[in-house]
Amino acid sequence: MENAVTNAIRVVALGNDGDGMAQTPQGRIFVPGTVPGDEILLAAQNGTHGTLDRIVVPGADRVDAPCHLFGACGGCRLQDMALPALLEWKTGRVTETLQRAGFDPIPAPQAHQVSPHGRRRVDLAFRRVEKQIVLGLHRRRGDVIDMSECTLLDPTLFALLPPLRAMLHSLPAVRAGGDIQINLLDSGPDLLITMDGTPDANDRRILAQFGKKHGIPRISLQGRPPETLALTGPVFHHFDDVRVVPPPGAFLQPARAGEAFIKSAVLAGLPRKGLKAGIIELYAGCGTLSFSLAEHAKVHAYEGDRAALACLKQASGGTRVLPALRDLNRQPVMATDLAKAAAVVLDPPHAGAGAQIAQIAAGRPPCVIYVSCNPAAMLRDLTPLRDAGYRLASVTVIDQFLWSAEVESVCVLTLPGASRRNRR
C-alpha cells in the first residue's frame, strides 16, 4: 500500500469536458471518472489521456453516484461530484471565460441549480437487440445503454419509457433502430422519431393507438419538414400566459426551473427607463423570452427557423411581439437598427452569434443581454463587445444540465456614459 500511495497522483481540477486533470512527470493528463482532490493510480496513459486504475484517497467533494447506470450511460459525466461543488466549478468556468474576454471588474455571479428529475427534453436512441428494444443514451463513445433508471428525467417522461419500448418493438417500420426526441409540453409528451424503415398505414395505426392510450397528442417522423404520423389531440405549450403550438422537435429549455432562472435574469437586466425605443430580440425561437419581454416594451423578434417563426407569429396576435424571419448569420440585423433599440437580447445557438456580433459592436445599443450555453462561444462573442467598450453589469450562472460539463449563463452588458438614463 505504501508503494501504491507513493505512485499516486493528485487530481487538481476539472477540464472543460468534466474529466479530472492531474500533473505527471510526462505532463498534464485528463482522467475520466475523477474529481478534484482525488489521489489516484493510473492503469494506463496515452498522451494527455489517462485511464483510472483506482482511487487511493477520495477527494472531499467525491460522493456516491445516485444512479446505478453512472459510468456506463453517457448521459451524466459528473455524478460522483457533489452538486454544490459542481455549481461552484461551473460558476468558475463562466468567470474565467469573462476574464479571458477582458472584462474587469466582474460582478459577483448569481448562481442557480435545478433539482434532479426535472429534465423535460431528451434525445434517445433505440436499437433492436435480439428480441427486445434497447432504449436510452449512448455509452461514452459506444453502444446504447438501456435506461432502466434515471435521476435526470421528469417522472412523466421516465414512466413513458417501458410502454415506448414495447410499442417500438411492435412497429414494423423499425428494423434495426433509430432515434427519438421527446419534449414534455403542457399538452403532454411530443415525440419526433427517426427510424430506418418507411412507416405505412399499419405503423400509423399503432402509433395513434399508443398516443391515445398514453396521452401523447402528436407523434412525428423526422424529415424536412417533419411529417405528422399520429395526431390524437391538440398540441400546445405556454410561455407566460401565451399559448403557442411548437413544431415537432422545437427548442425547449431542458428544465422548467432553468427557463425561469434565465427569464428572471434577462428581465432583471432590462433598463428601468427608455424602453419606449423598444427591444430587439435575436434568435427568438418560439417565444421563450419574447412574451415576457413584451410586458415591458415592444419587441422586434428575429428568428431564422421557419417553423419556429410560424409558431411565434401565430401566437403573437394581441401582444407587443413583432416577429420577423431572418437568417442572422447570413443577414444580421444591421448596426443602424440595433443602435435605435433600448436593449438587445440574444440567446444564440451553441456555436454562438457569428456575424451578428460585429453589428452589435458597431451599433452600440446601450444594453446587451447575452444568454449562453457554451463558454467557448461566449468568449468569441463577448470579446468584441468588451473591445467596443461594454462593461458587465451582472452575471448569472444556471446549472440546468445536471452532472454534465454544460453550463448556462446570462450576461448583462452596458456602455458607460451611453444613455445613462436607461441604466440601473
Side-chain angles (χ1 to χ4, degrees):
M1 179 65 182
E2 182 179 349
N3 186 52
V5 173
T6 300
N7 294 328
I9 59 175
R10 183 179 176 83
V11 178
V12 296
L14 290 180
N16 289 340
D17 290 335
D19 293 335
M21 183 177 70
Q23 291 289 345
T24 73
Q26 291 75 36
R28 186 172 63 178
I29 63 167
F30 297 91
V31 186
T34 64
V35 304
D38 283 347
E39 301 280 349
I40 65 171
L41 292 176
L42 294 178
Q45 180 178 348
N46 182 10
T48 60
H49 177 78
T51 302
L52 179 66
D53 176 20
R54 62 188 175 94
I55 296 167
V56 178
V57 180
D61 294 321
R62 172 169 287 280
V63 297
D64 293 333
C67 179
H68 291 96
L69 295 180
F70 177 68
C73 173
C76 295
R77 188 168 294 189
L78 290 160
Q79 281 205 348
D80 48 7
M81 186 170 177
L83 283 176
L86 189 54
L87 179 59
E88 183 179 356
W89 173 66
K90 293 187 179 187
T91 302
R93 284 193 69 196
V94 172
T95 300
E96 180 185 3
T97 299
L98 294 171
Q99 289 171 339
R100 291 177 60 196
F103 290 102
D104 183 26
I106 297 174
Q110 296 289 318
H112 306 280
Q113 192 170 53
V114 303
S115 300
H117 302 290
R119 192 173 179 93
R120 58 179 178 171
R121 185 189 83 204
V122 66
D123 295 312
L124 301 174
F126 58 92
R127 299 288 182 268
R128 286 196 186 275
V129 178
E130 297 177 350
K131 295 183 178 181
Q132 64 179 350
I133 288 286
V134 173
L135 173 67
L137 299 171
H138 283 274
R139 191 188 300 270
R140 195 172 178 182
R141 293 188 290 272
D143 298 330
V144 180
I145 295 295
D146 202 46
M147 190 177 281
S148 56
E149 62 178 295
C150 185
T151 52
L152 287 176
L153 282 187
D154 183 289
T156 299
L157 292 187
F158 185 74
L160 183 63
L161 300 189
L164 186 56
R165 288 186 186 91
M167 184 276 292
L168 291 170
H169 185 266
S170 70
L171 207 61
V174 173
R175 296 171 182 171
D179 301 283
I180 183 164
Q181 177 180 323
I182 311 175
N183 275 341
L184 183 56
L185 304 179
D186 290 342
S187 56
D190 189 44
L191 276 57
L192 179 61
I193 303 178
T194 302
M195 59 186 83
D196 52 356
T198 302
D200 59 15
N202 186 41
D203 293 288
R204 294 170 188 266
R205 178 187 59 79
I206 293 171
L207 290 167
Q209 290 176 345
F210 176 76
K212 188 173 183 180
K213 181 177 180 179
H214 295 283
I216 303 169
R218 180 176 64 189
I219 302 175
S220 305
L221 179 68
Q222 181 67 269
R224 296 191 175 182
E227 177 188 355
T228 300
L229 297 177
L231 188 66
T232 59
V235 177
F236 59 87
H237 194 67
H238 291 89
F239 293 125
D240 299 290
D241 294 328
V242 178
R243 178 164 159 156
V244 303
V245 182
F251 172 78
L252 192 68
Q253 290 291 350
R256 189 178 296 274
E259 179 182 297
F261 288 136
I262 293 170
K263 190 177 297 183
S264 177
V266 169
L267 296 180
L270 290 175
R272 289 188 181 275
K273 298 180 181 179
L275 283 172
K276 287 185 179 180
I279 298 168
I280 290 180
E281 183 190 10
L282 309 173
Y283 311 98
C286 294
T288 305
L289 299 173
S290 309
F291 301 108
S292 291
L293 292 170
E295 293 295 318
H296 300 268
K298 178 173 60 178
V299 179
H300 293 273
Y302 294 91
E303 172 55 43
D305 181 84
R306 290 182 180 275
L309 191 279
C311 167
L312 180 60
K313 198 168 186 178
Q314 184 181 34
S316 62
T319 73
R320 291 194 286 181
V321 177
L322 305 173
L325 182 66
R326 193 81 161 249
D327 184 331
L328 295 171
N329 198 42
R330 296 183 179 182
Q331 189 186 9
V333 178
M334 301 305 290
T336 50
D337 295 320
L338 295 165
K340 301 172 186 176
V344 173
V345 177
L346 65 160
D347 184 0
H350 191 267
Q356 185 62 71
I357 289 295
Q359 296 300 321
I360 296 174
R364 294 169 60 84
C367 176
V368 176
I369 303 177
Y370 180 91
V371 183
S372 171
C373 63
N374 180 0
M378 181 170 71
L379 177 62
R380 291 193 299 270
D381 287 348
L382 294 193
T383 299
L385 298 185
R386 165 63 184 87
D387 294 342
Y390 282 93
R391 299 293 183 265
L392 279 170
S394 68
V395 180
T396 303
V397 176
I398 301 105
D399 182 13
Q400 63 170 339
F401 297 93
L402 288 184
W403 298 303
S404 79
E406 304 297 325
V407 58
E408 199 98 19
S409 60
V410 179
C411 295
V412 179
L413 301 99
T414 57
L415 276 175
S419 300
R420 287 185 178 274
R421 67 183 184 278
N422 291 347
R423 296 171 58 195
R424 287 188 181 277

